[in-house]
Amino acid sequence: AAPNWLLAPTLMITPGGFTPGLWRGTTSSDWFDCKNWDDLEVPLATTAVRIDETAASNCIIGVTAGQSAVCASLLQTSSGPTARNLTIQNNCGLTVGAAITVERTVAGTAVAFTVANGALPNTLTATNLTVQGPAATQALFRNDGSLNLVTITGNLTIGTGGVVDISATPTTGGTIYVGGDYSNQGPTQATLDEAGGSIIFNGTTAQSISTASFQEVFYNLGVDKATTNLTLNNPVAVAN
């Protein structure tokens, strides 16, 4: 029909390519729908994932139950007025080969990474986890489910403007296993919302707890180390 390419044989091609691991969310919120990714491919274990304010929707791992996602690293960031959130739900999991960073670079709507509560466990594994923002409560990491398995094999860092929430009820919250150092550089200990939750240090090398010169408060504090020590660089209280 038309156009007749034999009469108009010039086809302009714009230089440049698609970006692997860039979340667009143009079709739905489903991580496993390839049309939601800039390069039309669901991330592999070698893919560096970026979720930012340019996406059309939030991202969910668990639109369909029992799925396992992977990526090499994950940056969840926002520099605009909106923020796009990431949720693991419905008996699903995410394995990140390297670090997770949840951040806002300018003040605005908080950006949130949530491992949701449910009747079946959700899982998350990564090396380092950093949560930070330009002002109070601008970046959130939540693990509110008592059945969930969240494992950070390296450092857990709460920066200025970051919040880690492991509270679900006054007595039953989420658990985070930490294999490296714990650092809370927020203005007060309230940037760890600990009610009912547990932080368990289980690294195979020496670990430490540091704050911005305040006393950190844990609800449950566990030390499960076959060797080496856990050093308190600042005062610590255990509520339970």
Side-chain angles (χ1 to χ4, degrees):
N4 186 338
W5 294 106
L6 295 178
L7 299 178
T10 302
L11 176 64
M12 299 303 297
I13 299 176
T14 303
F18 298 107
T19 302
L22 179 60
W23 172 257
R24 291 298 189 189
T26 52
T27 300
S28 67
S29 59
D30 189 356
W31 172 291
F32 293 97
D33 187 338
C34 64
K35 296 186 293 296
N36 287 316
W37 298 94
D38 194 55
D39 65 342
L40 303 179
E41 184 173 0
V42 175
L44 306 173
T46 55
T47 307
V49 167
R50 179 185 176 95
I51 300 173
D52 62 28
E53 72 281 356
T54 64
S57 63
N58 297 325
C59 183
I60 296 175
I61 299 172
V63 172
T64 301
Q67 295 182 305
S68 296
V70 295
C71 64
S73 61
L74 193 149
L75 173 61
Q76 187 182 352
T77 185
S78 180
S79 60
T82 61
R84 294 305 178 195
N85 299 324
L86 173 61
T87 301
I88 304 174
Q89 63 182 32
N90 210 5
N91 192 28
C92 291
L94 171 63
T95 300
V96 183
I100 297 173
T101 300
V102 182
E103 66 175 11
R104 275 209 70 107
T105 56
V106 298
T109 304
V111 57
F113 186 136
T114 301
V115 186
N117 188 21
L120 294 172
N122 302 297
T123 62
L124 172 66
T125 302
T127 55
N128 300 324
L129 170 62
T130 301
V131 187
Q132 61 193 11
T137 64
Q138 288 286 282
L140 309 174
F141 176 83
R142 299 188 183 99
N143 174 28
D144 295 341
S146 60
L147 299 179
N148 295 339
L149 180 59
V150 175
T151 302
I152 306 301
T153 59
N155 300 331
L156 171 56
T157 303
I158 306 174
T160 301
V163 172
V164 170
D165 180 0
I166 53 175
S167 66
T169 71
T171 58
T172 305
T175 298
I176 301 178
Y177 291 87
V178 179
D181 296 332
Y182 174 95
S183 177
N184 187 347
Q185 299 305 310
T188 69
Q189 63 84 25
T191 50
L192 174 66
D193 188 357
E194 77 283 346
S198 302
I199 301 289
I200 299 177
F201 293 86
N202 66 346
T204 57
T205 59
Q207 296 176 260
S208 65
I209 297 175
S210 302
T211 72
S213 300
F214 55 78
Q215 181 185 61
E216 182 63 282
V217 178
F218 299 98
Y219 185 78
N220 293 315
L221 172 62
V223 182
D224 184 14
K225 296 171 64 61
T227 185
T228 72
N229 299 321
L230 173 65
T231 300
L232 310 184
N233 292 325
N234 297 96
V236 166
V238 180
N240 188 39

